[in-house]
Amino acid sequence: MTDTSAYIKIDNVSRHYGPVKALHNLSIDIAKHEFIAILGPSGSGKSTLLRLIAGLDRPSEGRIFFKGQDVTALPPHKRGIGMVFQEFLLFPHRTVRENLAFPLRMTQETPAKIKDRLDWAEGILSLNGLMDRYPNQLSGGQQQRVALGRGLVTNPTLLLLDEPLANLDRELRQEMEVEIRRYQKQLGIPFIYVTHNQEEALSMSDRVAVINKGKLEALGERQEIYDHPNTPFVARFVGRATRFDGVSDGTTVNIPEHGYTFSPSAPVAAGRVSVFVKNERFALGASGTPGIACKVIDVVLRGPFVEFILEAANKARIIAVQPKRPDMHAIGAEIALTWDANLAHIFPAEA
Amino acid sequence: MDSMSLKDFAAKWTMGLILITAYVFLYMPIVHILFASLSNHPNFPYPPNFNPKSYVNLATNSIYQSAFVNSLIIASCTAVLSTVMGFLATIGVLRFAGKRALFYAVFFAGPLFVSEILLGISSMSLYYLVFGLQGNMVTAIIANSVHCFSFCFLIMAAMLYKYDWRMNEAAIVCGATPFRAFLEVMLPLTWSGIMGSLIVAFVLALNGLDISFYLLGATPTMPSVAWGALRYGVKPELYALSTIINAAVFLAIIVLFLKARNTKTAPV
């Protein structure tokens, strides 16, 4: 017997297109108040998963449950969900008001209820004065809010978001990240947020599911995923990290290409290993001290922090991120690159 | 400065003159019919005068009336039938044909290149041999639809090619049934293409002589009566009828134009 007590339960779901396995035996339980990000590169199957949850596509195997009820065979218009698309897909021939009222009309709400919900959406999404405009008269951010509103007016069981910020510029995106998270906390329904952008996933969600090649690579609290990746893929994909090929003798790890040896906190099985170090966890010591001898070839200012583009003796490029300080290394400086052995992630080398 | 403004002036008036010439070229025959229908001397109606006699005759001439009604029925039914078929074909090609879309599209457009006379003769003998059907209004509508289908398909394919099918999905996740999504979202967004297809099919079937001629025999339609009239001398009633049809078409165009202008704030 499967336990169907989770608010949303995705139970061993697969989706095959002929011989192509878009999704493979994937299970996720989602709690009612949870913001979950589904993170993966393009073609990983994350959008397929979203379409399966929406009902726009059917799984080849496995079941999907909403509040304990099996919805696997239920068509999308009966699932009571909201969805926000990357291109917003607002109805261009209808005003903002009509766009927002559309899902309410489809669920046969009374005019009084519709008006009530429209007022609610207008207030919470700051759409005052925009209700009688057409979508093409709105800015990207305003269209985004209307798309969110259309997904939320019916008090859906859950909201699905398919890369909704990909078409917005950077500043607006960061603003909307905070806003979307605030709505989720306010409404108390799960948001399932699909993205290939690890920054979005980390900034908004409670938990992150990392998907690669149709398989669930990792599922956990965002901190956990970031600090303790369980596979080389997660270590590489979440956060910005640098990979080194190393050789372990059981207690120490040597990186032959840079002639650097360090002692990890826990013993590592002997053999070839991959070492991942997050870019902000590098330490830049004075030249001559132990470490990988590097030269600073460029410095990129990113406001509160700085990216040092380093070049090692073998011409390999390494990026180290440091907080911005007045006395930082200048272009051309010689330094020694090291890292805290506890914070490096070490995996047996991939074949 | 003076020469500059003179040049602008000349350019403006030349353009205006070209525009007027173009309109005269397009509308002279139509205006001529109007004059002829109202004249005491239909063969040379200049200077124009006003004599409603031909309209009165028209109202009492049963041949012209039944020809008009028949043509209207054929044109309306053909427009609807070929547009519905063309719409389904377009959806099939754009949504489900995948890599073979062009292949299917070419064969849907193929009948465009078959001459109308051949289609008329062939349909006449085919319907008789295979189905035992004598030429009648139904076979005329079917044969006309074969001819109009390709035009309808091309017009709507050009329109629906740009349509984002995920609009339907967006409506469906909002709780709309697929049919409701089609009715409330897809249809209004592709209406101009469907309208264009209806109009073109209607006009083609209304004016098409050959197909109706071979399939209808003695049943009069507008083009067949007009063609017959040519042989025995054109009657002013024909001019009157043409004028009425032209007036109706202009009225329709003006209504469409005003409607399009009113919805300009919501371009689709």
Side-chain angles (χ1 to χ4, degrees):
Chain A
M1 261 322 272
T2 42
D3 166 36
T4 56
S5 61
Y7 188 75
I8 305 292
K9 186 175 186 68
I10 295 153
D11 188 20
N12 215 14
V13 160
S14 299
R15 180 70 174 100
H16 306 157
Y17 299 101
V20 183
K21 290 180 176 174
L23 273 185
H24 201 67
N25 295 345
L26 197 128
S27 297
I28 302 176
D29 286 2
I30 298 164
K32 183 157 190 309
H33 295 280
E34 204 165 28
F35 195 133
I36 188 156
I38 296 175
L39 177 64
S42 59
S44 60
K46 59 187 191 304
S47 292
T48 304
L49 176 61
L50 202 71
R51 292 177 65 80
L52 292 177
I53 300 172
L56 294 169
D57 197 356
R58 297 279 164 85
S60 310
E61 288 162 40
R63 321 289 314 165
I64 294 169
F65 300 88
F66 289 178
K67 301 191 228 178
Q69 188 206 346
D70 188 342
V71 297
T72 316
L74 208 62
H77 59 272
K78 290 185 183 157
R79 290 196 182 189
I81 51 167
M83 188 160 175
V84 181
F85 297 85
Q86 184 179 341
E87 294 84 358
F88 311 144
L89 298 180
L90 298 175
F91 306 133
H93 59 304
R94 293 176 186 273
T95 61
V96 170
R97 186 186 308 281
E98 289 163 346
N99 264 283
L100 291 173
F102 186 84
L104 296 165
R105 285 200 296 116
M106 294 305 119
T107 47
Q108 324 267 314
E109 299 292 354
T110 59
K113 176 81 189 289
I114 291 178
K115 190 185 174 303
D116 186 47
R117 293 303 294 165
L118 288 182
D119 289 344
W120 171 83
E122 187 177 355
I124 194 172
L125 297 160
S126 329
L127 294 170
N128 315 65
L130 304 175
M131 295 296 274
D132 293 309
R133 295 212 192 159
Y134 286 93
N136 64 354
Q137 299 169 315
L138 303 178
S139 70
Q142 290 165 339
Q143 291 186 28
Q144 171 70 79
R145 285 206 191 84
V146 177
L148 266 170
R150 194 177 64 179
L152 291 171
V153 274
T154 51
N155 284 319
T157 309
L158 77 162
L159 186 72
L160 303 169
L161 302 106
D162 189 6
E163 310 226 12
L165 302 184
N167 287 346
L168 300 182
D169 59 50
R170 190 187 174 84
E171 224 164 282
L172 195 56
R173 203 160 62 211
Q174 289 177 346
E175 209 175 289
M176 288 306 295
E177 282 174 10
V178 177
E179 241 175 273
I180 290 176
R181 185 168 164 82
R182 183 164 60 84
Y183 299 142
Q184 193 270 329
K185 293 299 159 216
Q186 224 166 327
L187 298 171
I189 57 165
F191 278 26
I192 302 178
Y193 189 103
V194 160
T195 180
H196 69 276
N197 181 327
Q198 45 106 9
E199 279 172 35
E200 277 175 24
L202 293 169
S203 63
M204 282 191 272
S205 63
D206 301 315
R207 279 200 300 164
V208 180
V210 183
I211 292 188
N212 183 35
K213 293 178 185 158
K215 286 184 183 158
L216 189 64
E217 283 266 345
L219 173 64
E221 304 283 325
R222 52 180 171 172
Q223 288 272 358
E224 186 69 20
I225 295 277
Y226 191 86
D227 289 332
H228 303 287
N230 58 344
T231 68
F233 178 80
V234 178
R236 194 170 60 236
F237 197 69
V238 179
R240 296 189 192 284
T242 303
R243 200 192 92 171
F244 300 98
D245 292 322
V247 179
S248 165
D249 63 7
T251 52
T252 64
V253 174
N254 177 254
I255 294 163
E257 73 174 312
H258 295 300
Y260 178 66
T261 304
F262 69 102
S263 310
S265 49
V268 176
R272 287 167 10 92
V273 292
S274 295
V275 179
F276 292 90
V277 183
K278 291 262 187 309
N279 289 352
E280 74 276 14
R281 287 174 184 162
F282 285 121
L284 274 53
S287 177
T289 56
I292 302 170
C294 291
K295 189 173 167 187
V296 177
I297 61 165
D298 206 350
V299 177
V300 182
L301 279 179
R302 297 263 189 219
F305 57 92
V306 185
E307 277 177 27
F308 292 98
I309 316 242
L310 308 174
E311 194 174 83
N314 66 350
K315 302 291 178 200
R317 292 276 169 101
I318 300 168
I319 295 172
V321 177
Q322 302 274 292
K324 168 112 176 59
R325 275 195 304 263
D327 58 333
M328 62 188 198
H329 301 283
I331 295 173
E334 303 279 344
I335 54 109
L337 186 76
T338 57
W339 54 82
D340 184 340
N342 295 322
L343 299 179
H345 310 301
I346 303 163
F347 301 98
E350 288 163 308
Chain B
M1 164 116 184
D2 251 0
S3 72
M4 216 26 226
S5 66
L6 197 69
K7 235 169 140 183
D8 286 353
F9 184 78
K12 208 171 135 189
W13 280 95
T14 314
M15 296 241 289
L17 208 65
I18 292 170
L19 182 70
I20 290 166
T21 315
Y23 278 144
V24 166
F25 174 72
L26 288 173
Y27 286 95
M28 219 160 51
I30 296 168
V31 174
H32 175 77
I33 289 278
L34 170 72
F35 289 157
S37 74
L38 287 169
S39 177
N40 297 321
H41 317 284
N43 290 333
F44 190 77
Y46 300 102
N49 52 3
F50 183 82
N51 180 355
K53 198 184 92 193
S54 60
Y55 290 85
V56 177
N57 287 348
L58 178 68
T60 55
N61 188 327
S62 64
I63 283 277
Y64 284 121
Q65 282 173 17
S66 63
F68 179 66
V69 171
N70 287 341
S71 280
L72 215 56
I73 292 171
I74 291 175
S76 317
C77 294
T78 302
V80 172
L81 186 61
S82 49
T83 297
V84 168
M85 290 195 307
F87 189 78
L88 294 177
T90 307
I91 290 180
V93 166
L94 292 179
R95 279 250 52 192
F96 302 109
K99 284 178 194 157
R100 289 192 214 98
L102 188 65
F103 175 81
Y104 291 122
V106 164
F107 279 90
F108 275 137
L112 206 61
F113 304 105
V114 177
S115 97
E116 267 182 86
I117 295 186
L118 280 182
L119 195 65
I121 295 172
S122 157
S123 301
M124 174 182 69
S125 59
L126 176 75
Y127 295 151
Y128 183 70
L129 284 174
V130 179
F131 305 110
L133 282 175
Q134 293 285 1
N136 60 22
M137 293 285 277
V138 176
T139 54
I141 289 166
I142 294 171
N144 266 307
S145 297
V146 171
H147 177 62
C148 294
F149 169 86
S150 301
F151 288 94
C152 296
F153 170 74
L154 288 179
I155 291 168
M156 284 185 287
M159 182 71 207
L160 265 74
Y161 183 70
K162 290 177 290 181
Y163 181 71
D164 188 344
W165 295 91
R166 289 182 319 151
M167 276 291 173
N168 291 31
E169 290 189 347
I172 287 169
V173 292
C174 282
T177 59
F179 180 67
R180 198 86 192 265
F182 166 76
L183 216 61
E184 293 219 26
V185 176
M186 190 177 173
L187 205 57
L189 291 180
T190 55
W191 185 238
S192 53
I194 294 167
M195 202 64 206
S197 158
L198 283 171
I199 290 174
V200 166
F202 183 88
V203 171
L204 281 175
L206 190 74
N207 295 332
L209 170 65
D210 308 291
I211 292 174
S212 303
F213 184 73
Y214 286 107
L215 285 157
L216 283 170
T219 312
T221 64
M222 289 276 302
S224 70
V225 167
W227 191 71
L230 264 181
R231 303 174 64 189
Y232 307 108
V234 182
K235 300 241 166 50
E237 289 94 318
L238 192 62
Y239 295 145
L241 189 54
S242 308
T243 304
I244 290 171
I245 291 172
N246 283 337
V249 168
F250 268 105
L251 203 68
I253 290 173
I254 288 167
V255 168
L256 280 178
F257 173 75
L258 290 178
K259 206 169 163 334
R261 214 180 45 169
N262 285 345
T263 52
K264 219 176 180 179
T265 42
V268 167

